[in-house]
Amino acid sequence: MKKTIQSVVMAALCLNFCYGQNKKTCPKPETTRTYVYAFSGFKSGYKTGYRISEDQFMKGRVLTVRNYTITQLFALALRLERPHDTSEKANDQERIVIDVRQPEKLKRIYCYKLVVPYNHQDDFYVLMQRSLNDEFPEYIVKMEKRDKEYFMVIRDKEY
């Protein structure tokens, strides 16, 4: 009888331990990320610009941005900057409102890469916005309508 109780207690402890380990290693579905992004600093020798290409591994899309400021990255994510169109670049800069305490921080230059799988290609720019918000949580960036025109507004997040 004593051996049976010890065996049952040992089995219960082992099962409890195994269950706890499995529960710990399985993340919640809403916390898993299907896209990958990376930031790096200024890279000398590269022209400022970006390129959207096909990803051979995940059969999705890849966005590669070189030497953009934080403001330009957010403008690209909100599709304020049109791809390969230089005719309205000056007009686009006038549609950006910066309302932050330290605007010089927005002038830091970064390189950025986003890889999105084929099943999330429709959410390409939304995922870019989400990754930028994760990387720069001190700013609130949104589009506002003022006098029949849309402006990108960058503000400090109030803590």
Side-chain angles (χ1 to χ4, degrees), residues 1 18-19 21 27 29 40 46-48 62 67 74 78-80 88 98-99 109 123-124 127 144 156:
M1 180 74 171
C18 291
Y19 177 74
Q21 289 296 322
S40 65
Y46 291 103
K47 289 183 179 180
T48 300
V62 178
N67 299 335
F74 276 111
L78 291 171
R79 288 181 254 168
L80 189 64
E88 296 187 31
I98 298 174
D99 186 22
I109 297 175
D123 302 330
F124 190 71
L127 294 175
E144 287 185 4
D156 284 325

Side-chain angles (χ1 to χ4, degrees), residues 34-35 116-124 127:
T34 57
Y35 61 97
V116 179
Y118 69 95
N119 57 339
H120 288 289
Q121 288 186 32
D122 295 339
D123 302 330
F124 190 71
L127 294 175

Side-chain angles (χ1 to χ4, degrees), residues 32-114:
T32 58
R33 214 176 29 205
T34 57
Y35 61 97
V36 179
Y37 71 92
F39 279 91
S40 65
F42 173 78
K43 295 201 184 228
S44 63
Y46 291 103
K47 289 183 179 180
T48 300
Y50 68 95
R51 179 177 57 143
I52 298 174
S53 59
E54 299 295 319
D55 179 38
Q56 298 300 318
F57 180 69
M58 292 196 311
K59 306 293 186 221
R61 290 174 29 181
V62 178
L63 170 70
T64 307
V65 181
R66 292 197 179 109
N67 299 335
Y68 263 37
T69 63
I70 297 171
T71 306
Q72 289 173 316
L73 286 170
F74 276 111
L76 181 61
L78 291 171
R79 288 181 254 168
L80 189 64
E81 182 174 312
R82 293 167 189 82
H84 312 294
D85 183 16
T86 57
S87 61
E88 296 187 31
K89 289 266 186 197
N91 190 20
D92 287 346
Q93 292 299 322
E94 294 171 1
R95 294 175 37 201
I96 297 173
V97 178
I98 298 174
D99 186 22
V100 295
R101 283 179 240 132
Q102 297 175 329
E104 63 275 357
K105 284 187 176 181
L106 293 173
K107 295 180 182 175
R108 291 184 189 153
I109 297 175
Y110 291 95
C111 293
Y112 173 78
K113 187 171 189 174
L114 174 68

Side-chain angles (χ1 to χ4, degrees), residues 133-148:
N133 288 334
D134 289 345
E135 196 67 27
F136 304 107
E138 63 269 18
Y139 302 116
I140 297 174
V141 181
K142 61 183 177 178
M143 296 295 286
E144 287 185 4
K145 189 172 183 179
R146 297 180 179 179
D147 298 329
K148 299 181 183 179

Side-chain angles (χ1 to χ4, degrees), residues 4-17:
T4 308
I5 291 174
Q6 288 177 346
S7 298
V8 169
V9 169
M10 273 311 261
L13 286 174
C14 288
L15 287 173
N16 192 13
F17 180 72

